[in-house]
Every structure is written in C-alpha cells, then in structure tokens.
C-alpha cells in the first residue's frame, strides 16, 4: 500500500515512496530526505518549529499530509539560502545573533522570509503579527524582530 | 573500526536514480571510540589537547544548552593560549572524554567550569613557554605567543604543534597559574559572535533529534492516562496493521513501541490498545494551596535569623502580613526530549541532551543493572531545557527499548509527553509578616516557605519508575531555599523553610529554582512595606542595603537611572482614566553571594478589563568579569522574557489523574506582541571573578511586575500567573 509521490524540494524534483500518504510532510523531509532544518515542536500547528514554504507560502509541515505536497514546491531552511548565498533573513539573524538554542529558529526565519516576499517593507507591528504563531522559549523575540527589520532594510 | 555515521536515506529518486544524498554535516563520535584519556579535573589533559596540526581540543563537562557558553569556553582558551578561535574545537559532556564538572545548572558554567578551564589553559601556557624557552634558548619571560606560535625576541619561532603536538599534556592543573591581566586581554570581554549560529541559521546544525544510526529504529513511549496507573493488558495486535511496526514493549506501567519509521512509531503509540488500571492520587487543583499547607513536613530549615523577629513584629505599631504563591510549571522546551541508545558488545552508548551526562550514566547503570563503566553518555544539543526537563527520561526510554529491540533506538517524545511527563517546577508558597515603626522602617521580618524537601541531585527516570526498575527514590527539586533570606539589613529577621515530604508531581529545577519564587515574595512584600511607609520603593531599598558593599547599591541605582525612575511612593496618586500606567522595581543578590541584578518593569493596565501589558523592562546586571558581553545580554533578555511568560501565563492544569495542559493552547507561552522593550545595562568588572548570568535576572521579574501593577492600580497581585481575569477581579474587589 505504499505510494510514490512527486514533488519539488529545494528546487529539485523528487519522488518519494511512503507507506502512508497521510504522514505529515515533516517526517518525509527529516527522515526520508535528511533535511534537518525543519523541527518537530508540537505536531499541532501551535509553535512554528516545523515551518517550510509550500509554493512560497509559510506552512506548518507537522500537520500537512505529505500527499498534499505532491506536485508542489517545498522549500526548507536548507533551500532558502546557504553560507555562500544567504537569504537576507538568514544573514540578518547572524548579524543580530538572534538565536539561542535555535530550535525555533527555522520557523522564525521561514515565516519571516514568507512575510518579506509578500511585504518587503513591513512595520515592526506587522513583523510581530506575522510571527504571532511562532513560539520561542529561550527569549530571542527582540532580536528576531530586529533581524527581520534589518533584512527588510537590506542588511 | 565501527564508526557510526549519520544515516543518509536514499529514498530521494528522480528517474529511478538516486540523485541526492543530503549531507547532515556531522559525524558523531561513536560507541567504538571509548578512548582512554584522563578525565580527572586536576589534570590539564582532562581539559585540553593540542594536536599534531596545532588544533586545540577543549573538553568540558559543562555543556552548551543553547546559551552560547561553548563560545565563551573557546574565548577563555583562545585568550590564555593565544590561539585563534577558528583552531579550537569543543567536546562537551562525553563521559568517556570530558571531566565531570557537575551538572550544567545553577549558572555555574562560566563561574566554575570556565574558571577550571582557564586554570588548565594558563597552566598549559606556562608549560609551553618553558618548553619553548629551552628549545629557543631564550628567557621564558621574553617570549610572546601569536596564533599558537611562540616567538623569541630574535624572531625565532616554535609552534605549540612543534612543542607538544599530538602528545598528551601531562601536567597537574595549577589553580594559581597566572592568567592574562585585563589590559592584555583581546578575546575575553569582547562580543565574539557565537560559533553555532551560522549552522543553526542554515539548517546544518545537528541536534540530538537529528542523529540517525545505521539500523536504527524509532521508539515512542505510551504513557498511562494516570500518573500511577499500570498496564493490565496490552494488545500488540491492535497495531499489527501499521507497516513497519516491530515491537511492543511492556513492563509494569512502562509501555513503548518500536518501528522502522518514525511515523509508524507515532501511529502505533496512538493506536495501541492498553487496559490501564485506575489511579487518581493527585490533589484537587482548586485546593492546591490547602494541599501544600497540609503536606507533612520532613524538615524545618531556618535559613536566616537575627534578633527576635516574632517579638519585634508583635510589638510594632504597624503590622503587615501576606502570602505569595507561585504555581507548578513545566519546562516547556521547544523541542520535546529526545535520545538515541545503542547496545553493542554488552556496552551501551546513549546520545542525549542531558545537562548531566555523568549523572545520567549512573542512573542508567542503576536502572539497567549494568556497571557504569559499560555505559557511555554523549551530549548532543537539544532544544533549550532551562533545567532538568525530559531529556534524561527520553534516554531511559530509548535504552529500555533498545535493549528489548536489539537494535539502536531513537526516542523523541511527542508534545503531550513533554508537557505531561517532564518533571515539574513544584508549587511554591511563602507567608510573610513584617512590623514597622512609626516612620515605616522595618523592625522585624518573618517568612515561612512551604516547599518540597531535597536539593540538587538526580531526578528519578520516568521509565524506571513506571517499569518498577531500580532508582534512587529521592526527590530533588534543586536548591530552592536560596534567597528566602533577605539581601537587606533588617534589625530582627527569621526566614524558615518547611520542607515538605512530598509534592504532587515529580519535581525538578526550572531556571532560577526557588531563588526566583523567594525573591518574588520578598521583593513584592517589601514593596508592600514601602507603600505602608509612604516611601519611594527605590529609596526604601537603598536605606536597607548594607553599606559595606558598594556593588549592591550601584546596581540598584543604575537600574533606577536607566529607567528614568521618578522618586515617589506607590501607588501613583493619579489613578484616573481607563488606561493606568505604573512602574515597579526589584533587586536580588543571587544566593546572597554572587551576581547582583536590579530591574524596573513598566506596565499599562486597562482598568475596566484587567488586561495589561509590560511595556518596558530595564535591567542593570553585575556578574563580575564578563567573558562575552553579547552572550550575557542574550541571557539577560532570555531570563526576562522566559520569566515574564511564566509570570503572565504559565500554570500547569491537572485533574486527579494527570496533567491536562498538554499543548501550547492549554499551557500558554508568551507571544511576540507581549514581549516588552528590554533595556539592559551590563556592569563589567574585568578585575573581579566571573559569576553566572543564566538565571539571576529571572529572579526579579515577577516581583517587578507585581510592584508595577500595584503602582498603576493600587491593587496587589500575589498569585502567579498574573492573568487579566485575576487582575480584573482584584480591581473590582478594590
Ligand atoms: S511542530 Fe509544527 S507547528 Fe509546532
Ligand atoms: S532559541 Fe530556543 S526556543 Fe527559540
């Protein structure tokens, strides 16, 4: 009863064989594709740790059945940018040192990058509003906001 | 050779060919490498090795729990040895390789662990210079070191690699080996960027959650619906239809599933049919504080006593009394606890984000009936834990399941496991009484805390408890008696801790255990005294601070100045209109012997609804010598935000059987919109010893907020969390 799905992950066409097409995308990314950027935090769409881009929009991969990703473009933190070609939000997170344990960081960056794609010059209030569903227990919020605003300013 | 490498699954295919094998950028040290190396804390080689290529390896028993302390350790070694940061690597919390420096708690990583490491590096430097002096025929005092190369006045050079590369540094640590004087420091005291952040930002950082071993299975515990229930019957057939399920493990109250894939393990854990016995041994949450007061007392500890406080209060013209309570909390780590366990040749290797791998090893040995020498625990970073969360318990789950399965097992808890089964910060209740003279000065102060017995130590493993396997059977909530004694000079004082026999949930420490709850009670009650005296809260505190220690006064004065403190009594006189504003101060000398911290909270309260916001938080912080100012600042920010979350929202919910607040909707965490503007002033003391920064600033948060709300409204909140509903009720009652 395993099933093969075709999707695009970080710009590459992939075929994924899964036992259960209802499995959340997160497990396919982490375990089948070895992509460790997205994290399991709650599995309930409550914390943001698992955030990826689905056709450019931020999505919680912990509740998205993998079958719904078929035929679509998924981008993970690894695909957003690299040390050689960082996404502006990634560069700004380094500049602002906006990370403690970093477990939430994937979600913060992916959510913020999705915001900047829609709204390149957000206000501070818009940044906070966008990140309302992202939890950080270590207390990086002020630095995260500063980093997103820095990225919007162009570094 | 049996090196374990990360498993890269090749299920990613295009046109039938494997096109990508995503590298995980990490090759963990494996079970085979049980290197014999010195780990005794009096040996330099326990802490440092210089390779043939001149690379410096630092071995530390203290671990980076996401705080950035790894970078701090590297700075300390880079400074004392004059080697570039890029040539230093750090190995943390590996029982086979690192010294046992005690658990990573109590804000002691730099204060103790860093100072030990500094002494080892300074000892090594002195020895290396002596060797170089011989080699180069120069006077050791005339040598200088640049980037790991010793240079004589005539320009001749000998690198550390030339001198000792690849050989063990066979030296005893000299605690008095000369360290770099402040004026010569180039790395310590600077805001060096953290070494882990780039990998975390690019999705290349491997947490323990990301470790994959060849042949590894995925496990999930299946916890009982009541804390004390046992599994009377387990039906493995109920999960046979799930592809990839390998095994169901059952022993007493311990039930777990093991599967080829993580998703199969999750499904099996959800669908497994188990008949549980009934158990309903928890107290009624609505009567929690009555339960605490009625719990038998194991020990009475008087933590400070001067004069006859009871008589002083009894004879005082003005008397005050109040009770402050702080609820049960979960650590609420972002990433549920995780571990990987592998048995091989009678030995067990466990990868864990434990803050105490050396202790975990002993606990696993006890539970499994194995000699500790046959177990190796290796630290890998997890999500920030803020204390003893579920990491050790996940390790025990993984070890039990791996033993049954005969293959390596990775266990990651689900969110409900973490919220439901991590050990809890116990309920904390403090009664206070004070007597004031006609001027409002304190004549006598008495406090009584009702808190569980025990100190730091090992928290029993859930799996051992549920399976009825050997365990220590003691409770260890952390050193929660600290800071009940006052940092002020009061003529008569008595502070007493009633150490309770038991507490409803398995207790452990969460960031600033006891110190924060006691400081909350003291600093809020002191504010009540100041209000009774009609005194300005900052001035009132300054009057009480002993004069022999100028650093105490300085931190408080600087916090007040930073906040633009307006000198006047609380509450503010003009309490009109719908939105009220106020400010509150708090001060703490951590454990009365180290880091000084003072802060001011500003709040905005809607008088009609009780909704309020902390708009700004100011903090002055003196932790002695600062190794990395940006790192300290980040810790202070984290302390304030995390503790604000605990103060505003957090409270465990439970029924008679188990925890019922099992997700982030029922156990709320602070949101972006609620995070105040934070203004921090660090007081650096390069000539003093370094103290901790991971906890002290948390101590002042709940009291500063209670005091600010009082200033704004004239209403005093004494029960955490300070919810809008509670404030509304208090305002209506006022
Ligand atoms: S893990 Fe997906 S939102 Fe928490
Ligand atoms: S950095 Fe640890 S949860 Fe955000």
């Amino acid at each position: 009863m395993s099933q093969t799905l075709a999707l695009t992950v970080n710009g590459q066409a992939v075929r994924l064989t899964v036992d259960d097409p209802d499995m959340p995308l997160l497990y396919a990314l982490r375990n089948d594709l070895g992509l460790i950027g997205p994290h399991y935090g709650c599995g309930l769409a409550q914390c943001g740790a698992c955030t990826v881009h689905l056709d450019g929009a931020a999505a919680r991969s912990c509740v998205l059945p993998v079958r719904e990703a078929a035929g679509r473009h998924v981008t993970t933190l690894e695909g957003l940018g690299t040390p050689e070609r960082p996404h502006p939000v990634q560069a700004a997170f380094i500049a602002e040192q906006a990370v403690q344990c970093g477990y939430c960081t994937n979600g913060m960056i992916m959510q913020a990058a999705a915001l900047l794609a829609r709204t390149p010059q957000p206000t501070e209030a818009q940044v906070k509003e966008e990140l309302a569903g992202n939890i950080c227990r270590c207390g990086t919020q002020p630095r995260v906001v500063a980093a997103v605003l820095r990225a919007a300013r162009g570094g | 050779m049996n090196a374990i490498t990360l498993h890269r699954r090749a299920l990613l295919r295009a046109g039938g060919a494997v096109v990508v094998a995503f590298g995980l950028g990490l090759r963990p040290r494996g079970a085979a490498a049980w290197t014999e190396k010195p780990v005794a804390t009096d040996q330099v080689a326990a802490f440092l090795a210089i390779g043939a290529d001149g690379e410096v390896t630092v071995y530390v028993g203290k671990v980076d729990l996401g705080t950035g302390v790894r970078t701090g350790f590297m700075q300390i070694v880079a400074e004392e040895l004059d080697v570039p940061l890029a040539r230093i690597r750090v190995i943390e919390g590996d029982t086979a390789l690192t010294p046992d420096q005690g658990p990573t708690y109590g804000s002691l990583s730099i204060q103790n662990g860093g100072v030990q490491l500094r002494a080892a590096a300074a000892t090594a430097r002195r020895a290396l210079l002596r060797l170089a002096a011989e080699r180069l025929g120069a006077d050791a005092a005339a040598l200088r070191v640049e980037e790991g190369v010793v240079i004589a006045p005539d320009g001749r050079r000998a690198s550390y690699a030339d001198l000792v590369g690849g050989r063990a540094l066979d030296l005893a640590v000299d605690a008095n080996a000369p360290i770099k004087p402040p004026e010569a420091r180039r790395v310590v005291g600077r805001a060096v960027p953290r070494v882990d952040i780039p990998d975390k930002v690019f999705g290349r950082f491997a947490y323990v959650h990301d470790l994959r071993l060849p042949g590894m299975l995925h496990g999930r515990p299946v916890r009982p619906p009541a804390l004390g229930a046992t599994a009377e019957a387990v039906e493995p057939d109920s999960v046979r239809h799930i592809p990839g399920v390998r095994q169901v493990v059952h022993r007493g109250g311990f039930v777990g599933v093991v599967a080829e894939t993580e998703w199969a393990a999750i499904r099996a854990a959800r669908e497994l049919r188990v008949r549980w016995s009934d158990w309903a041994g928890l107290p009624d949450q609505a009567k929690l504080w009555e339960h605490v007061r009625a719990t038998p007392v194991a020990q009475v500890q008087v933590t400070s006593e001067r004069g006859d406080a009871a008589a002083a209060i009894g004879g005082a013209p003005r008397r005050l009394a109040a009770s402050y309570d702080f609820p049960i909390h979960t650590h609420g780590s972002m990433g549920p606890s995780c571990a990987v366990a592998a048995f091989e040749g009678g030995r067990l290797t466990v990868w864990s984000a434990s803050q105490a791998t050396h202790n975990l090893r002993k606990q696993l040995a006890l539970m499994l009936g194995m000699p500790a020498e046959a177990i190796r625990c290796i630290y890998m970073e997890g999500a920030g834990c803020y204390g003893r969360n579920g990491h050790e318990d996940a390790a025990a789950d993984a070890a039990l399941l791996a033993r049954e399965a005969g293959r390596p097992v990775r266990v990651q808890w689900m969110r409900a496991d973490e919220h439901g089964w991590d050990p809890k910060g116990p309920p904390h209740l403090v009664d206070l009484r004070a007597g004031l003279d006609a001027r409002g000065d304190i004549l006598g102060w008495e406090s009584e805390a009702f808190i569980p017995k025990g100190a730091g130590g090992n928290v029993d493993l859930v799996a051992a408890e549920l399976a009825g396997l050997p365990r220590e059977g003691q409770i260890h909530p952390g050193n929660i008696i600290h800071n009940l004694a006052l940092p002020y000079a009061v003529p008569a004082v008595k502070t007493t801790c009633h150490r309770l026999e038991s507490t409803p949930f398995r207790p452990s420490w969460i960031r600033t255990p006891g110190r924060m709850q006691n400081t909350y009670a003291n600093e809020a009650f002191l504010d009540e005294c100041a209000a009774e005296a009609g005194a300005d809260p900052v001035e009132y505190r300054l009057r009480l601070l002993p004069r022999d220690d100028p650093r105490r006064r300085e931190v408080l004065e600087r916090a007040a100045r930073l906040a633009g403190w307006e000198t006047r009594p609380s509450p503010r006189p003009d309490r009109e209109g719908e939105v009220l504003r106020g400010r509150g101060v708090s001060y703490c000398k951590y454990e009365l012997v180290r880091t000084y911290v003072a802060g001011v909270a500003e709040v905005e309260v809607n008088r009609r609804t009780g909704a309020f916001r902390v708009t700004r938080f100011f903090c002055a912080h003196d932790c002695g010598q600062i190794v990395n100012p940006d790192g300290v600042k980040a810790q202070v920010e984290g302390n304030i935000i995390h503790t604000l979350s605990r103060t505003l929202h957090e409270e465990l919910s439970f029924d008679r059987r188990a925890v019922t607040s099992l997700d982030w909707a029922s156990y709320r965490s602070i949101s972006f919109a609620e995070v105040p503007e934070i203004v921090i002033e660090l007081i650096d003391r390069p000539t003093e010893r370094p103290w901790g920064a991971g906890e002290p600033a948390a101590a002042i948060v709940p009291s500063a907020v209670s005091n600010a709300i009082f200033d704004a409204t004239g209403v005093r909140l004494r029960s955490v969390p300070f919810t809008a509903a509670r404030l509304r009720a208090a305002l209506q009652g006022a």
Side-chain angles (χ1 to χ4, degrees):
Chain A
M1 77 179 221
S2 69
Q3 198 173 321
T4 300
L5 305 167
L7 60 156
T8 306
V9 179
N10 295 336
Q12 285 178 293
V14 304
R15 287 161 66 79
L16 207 54
T17 303
V18 294
D19 292 330
D20 178 0
D22 285 335
M23 174 177 77
L25 173 65
L26 176 65
Y27 300 102
L29 296 174
R30 289 182 52 78
N31 296 330
D32 298 326
L33 305 184
L35 293 166
I36 59 174
H39 294 145
Y40 172 83
C42 65
L44 304 163
Q46 290 178 339
C47 78
C50 63
T51 304
V52 298
H53 292 173
L54 191 65
D55 295 335
R60 302 292 191 239
S61 69
C62 70
V63 291
L64 184 81
V66 63
R67 64 179 150 70
E68 286 184 27
R72 304 177 73 176
H73 286 259
V74 175
T75 305
T76 70
L77 188 59
E78 290 93 333
L80 193 67
T82 60
E84 299 71 37
R85 299 174 62 95
H87 185 280
V89 175
Q90 289 171 312
F93 266 63
I94 295 173
E96 295 289 340
Q97 295 282 290
V99 176
Q100 287 198 28
C101 77
Y103 204 86
C104 70
T105 303
N106 166 71
M108 298 292 178
I109 293 177
M110 296 307 283
Q111 194 74 38
L115 168 69
L116 295 191
R118 292 194 318 271
T119 311
Q121 296 297 322
T123 62
E124 185 173 328
Q126 284 174 314
V127 173
K128 291 182 177 176
E129 178 57 29
E130 178 75 14
L131 295 170
N134 288 71
I135 294 173
C136 173
R137 294 291 287 167
C138 295
T140 60
Q141 290 90 341
R143 290 173 184 239
V144 167
V145 173
V148 179
L149 293 173
R150 175 193 278 261
R153 281 197 313 269
Chain B
M1 185 60 197
N2 214 341
I4 291 170
T5 51
L6 284 177
H7 186 35
R8 294 168 188 178
R9 294 193 61 181
L11 288 179
L12 188 54
R13 289 163 196 278
V18 176
V19 288
V20 187
F22 287 85
L24 300 191
L26 176 113
R27 200 170 298 117
R29 298 180 303 282
W34 290 50
T35 329
E36 295 300 328
K37 99 172 243 315
V39 291
T41 51
D42 59 353
Q43 293 300 309
V44 170
F47 294 95
L48 291 169
I50 295 173
D53 54 0
E55 293 266 314
V56 176
T57 305
V58 175
Y59 300 94
V60 278
K62 300 284 186 192
V63 300
D64 192 329
L65 302 168
T67 60
V69 79
R70 179 179 306 130
T71 305
F73 291 145
M74 291 169 69
Q75 286 178 261
I76 289 170
V77 171
E79 186 69 73
E80 295 305 329
L81 287 179
D82 279 313
V83 288
L85 285 164
R87 306 201 62 195
I88 300 175
R89 67 186 192 118
V90 183
I91 292 179
E92 295 156 43
D94 181 331
T95 56
L97 300 177
T98 64
D100 181 359
Q101 295 178 282
T104 305
Y105 62 22
S107 299
L108 296 168
S109 291
I110 292 290
Q111 177 173 330
N112 291 357
V115 167
Q116 278 177 322
L117 180 61
R118 184 172 69 181
T123 308
R125 180 196 178 94
R126 190 174 58 189
L128 287 160
L129 285 180
R130 282 182 190 149
L131 275 177
E134 264 173 45
R135 171 89 55 104
L136 301 172
D139 180 5
L143 300 172
R144 62 196 167 87
V145 186
E146 266 175 36
E147 309 214 325
V149 179
V150 187
I151 305 169
D154 63 5
R156 283 180 312 134
R157 309 155 80 88
S159 71
Y160 288 165
D162 298 338
L163 294 167
V164 293
R167 280 176 290 132
L169 296 161
D170 187 13
L171 284 170
V173 176
D174 175 2
N176 298 316
I179 57 166
K180 281 252 193 92
E183 60 280 7
R185 290 177 195 151
R186 286 178 299 181
V187 192
V188 161
R190 301 274 159 87
V192 169
R194 279 173 53 168
V195 293
D196 54 330
I197 287 183
D199 279 352
K200 288 177 175 176
V201 155
F202 294 112
R204 297 176 175 201
F205 190 91
Y207 296 85
V208 67
H209 306 78
D210 302 316
L211 180 63
R212 303 288 183 273
L213 303 179
M216 185 186 88
L217 298 170
H218 289 269
R220 285 292 183 280
V222 179
R223 296 294 187 222
L227 298 188
T230 57
E232 289 169 344
V234 176
E235 296 174 44
D237 282 347
S238 59
V239 295
R240 288 228 200 278
H241 65 284
I242 301 169
V245 171
R246 282 283 155 269
Q247 208 168 349
V248 173
V249 175
H250 169 207
R251 182 174 180 141
F254 179 83
V255 178
V257 294
V258 176
E260 295 286 346
T261 67
E262 187 167 18
W263 182 240
I266 292 168
R267 282 186 61 195
R270 280 185 192 151
E271 294 177 33
L272 184 71
R273 272 205 300 274
V274 183
R275 196 176 74 235
W276 296 100
S277 67
D278 197 19
W279 181 92
L282 286 170
D284 176 0
Q285 182 169 10
K287 300 202 178 87
L288 175 64
W289 301 113
E290 289 93 316
H291 170 84
V292 167
R293 284 186 192 282
T295 305
V297 173
Q299 186 196 4
V300 176
Q301 268 174 303
V302 176
T303 60
S304 68
E305 187 164 25
R306 185 181 326 116
D308 186 341
I313 296 167
R318 297 149 90 177
R319 273 171 268 173
L320 283 80
S323 295
Y324 284 82
D325 56 63
F326 196 95
I328 306 173
H329 277 176
T330 186
H331 297 79
S333 296
M334 269 300 278
S337 298
C338 181
V340 178
F343 283 88
E344 199 180 296
R347 287 168 154 189
L348 167 64
T349 305
V350 172
W351 289 264
S352 164
S354 164
Q355 50 168 211
T357 45
H358 285 87
N359 290 353
L360 174 61
R361 177 197 204 193
K362 292 178 202 146
Q363 289 189 281
L364 291 172
L366 179 63
M367 176 181 87
L368 298 167
M370 290 172 69
E373 297 67 43
I375 300 175
R376 178 178 180 185
C377 295
I378 301 175
Y379 178 74
M380 275 181 83
E381 235 181 281
C385 65
Y386 327 108
R388 200 299 202 176
N389 67 349
H391 285 313
E392 285 81 355
D393 301 305
D397 292 342
L400 274 190
L401 294 176
R403 188 166 70 175
E404 295 304 317
R407 279 165 65 180
V409 171
R410 170 186 183 271
V411 167
Q412 180 171 10
W413 284 7
M414 305 303 284
R415 174 49 54 197
D417 297 325
E418 189 72 30
H419 268 48
W421 289 85
D422 77 319
K424 306 302 179 199
H428 197 112
L429 174 67
V430 187
D431 292 340
L432 303 110
R433 292 176 294 280
L436 313 187
D437 66 15
R439 276 185 57 217
D441 285 331
I442 299 175
L443 296 172
W445 174 289
E446 272 188 317
S447 62
E448 292 174 88
F450 298 84
I451 52 180
K453 67 180 182 183
N458 294 331
V459 175
D460 276 347
L461 302 168
V462 172
E465 217 163 302
L466 290 174
L469 291 168
R471 58 196 167 96
E472 292 172 25
Q474 301 293 327
I475 59 172
H476 292 294
N479 285 315
I480 56 178
I481 65 172
H482 280 303
N483 285 105
L484 188 65
L486 292 175
Y488 301 107
V490 173
V493 64
K494 183 174 184 184
T495 58
T496 307
C497 292
H498 302 277
R499 309 303 303 278
L500 310 178
E501 243 338 306
S502 63
T503 185
F505 295 88
R506 184 175 63 126
S508 81
W509 44 95
I510 305 180
R511 199 172 211 162
T512 323
R515 293 91 166 155
M516 183 260 280
Q517 289 86 344
N518 291 326
T519 301
Y520 149 59
N522 285 344
E523 286 292 306
F525 189 61
L526 187 67
D527 221 64
E528 297 196 46
C529 296
E532 175 68 28
D536 172 78
V538 172
E539 279 191 2
Y540 197 68
R541 285 171 171 77
L542 286 171
R543 243 151 72 187
L544 290 167
L545 278 180
R547 304 219 155 252
D548 59 351
D549 182 358
R551 285 168 76 178
R552 302 183 187 212
R553 308 180 71 79
E554 183 175 344
V555 76
L556 183 52
E557 284 164 348
R558 283 173 77 158
R561 213 177 310 135
L562 191 63
W565 183 266
E566 180 197 350
T567 302
R568 56 165 177 77
S570 287
R572 64 182 306 142
D574 48 331
R575 301 197 297 283
E576 299 303 323
E578 178 151 306
V579 177
L580 305 176
R581 291 187 178 80
R583 88 292 201 249
V585 68
S586 181
Y587 163 80
C588 176
K589 181 176 185 179
Y590 207 57
E591 297 167 5
L592 302 186
V593 294
R594 47 197 185 118
T595 305
Y596 305 84
V597 55
V600 174
E602 290 183 354
V603 297
E604 224 174 70
V605 182
N606 182 307
R607 194 157 56 144
R608 198 171 38 81
T609 63
F612 70 97
R613 257 170 45 77
V614 178
T615 50
R616 293 197 291 179
F617 201 104
F618 302 88
C619 180
H621 193 273
D622 173 359
C623 59
Q625 185 205 343
I626 293 175
V627 173
N628 187 326
D630 195 54
V632 171
K633 197 163 163 276
Q635 282 306 295
V636 174
E637 291 164 5
N639 272 303
I640 292 169
I641 295 165
H642 182 199
T643 312
L644 210 47
S645 179
R646 299 179 66 182
T647 303
L648 301 182
H649 299 302
E650 297 182 32
E651 178 174 30
L652 197 81
S653 298
F654 52 93
D655 60 21
R656 305 305 287 264
R657 290 178 169 77
V659 177
T660 54
S661 48
L662 295 172
D663 62 12
W664 290 119
S666 51
Y667 189 96
R668 265 197 67 192
S669 187
I670 195 166
S671 69
F672 269 82
E674 296 166 321
V675 172
E677 182 188 341
I678 294 174
V679 185
I680 295 166
E681 191 165 294
L682 299 181
I683 303 172
D684 190 10
R685 312 260 184 206
T687 56
E688 300 286 342
R689 57 178 303 186
W691 284 326
E695 297 175 316
I700 60 172
V701 173
S703 45
V705 175
S706 173
N707 297 346
I709 290 171
F710 176 76
D711 184 57
T713 63
V715 158
R716 173 63 61 183
L717 292 186
R718 301 188 185 89
S719 281
V720 169
F722 299 157
T723 60
R726 278 187 171 156
L727 182 52
R728 186 172 57 239
L731 285 164
Q732 283 163 0

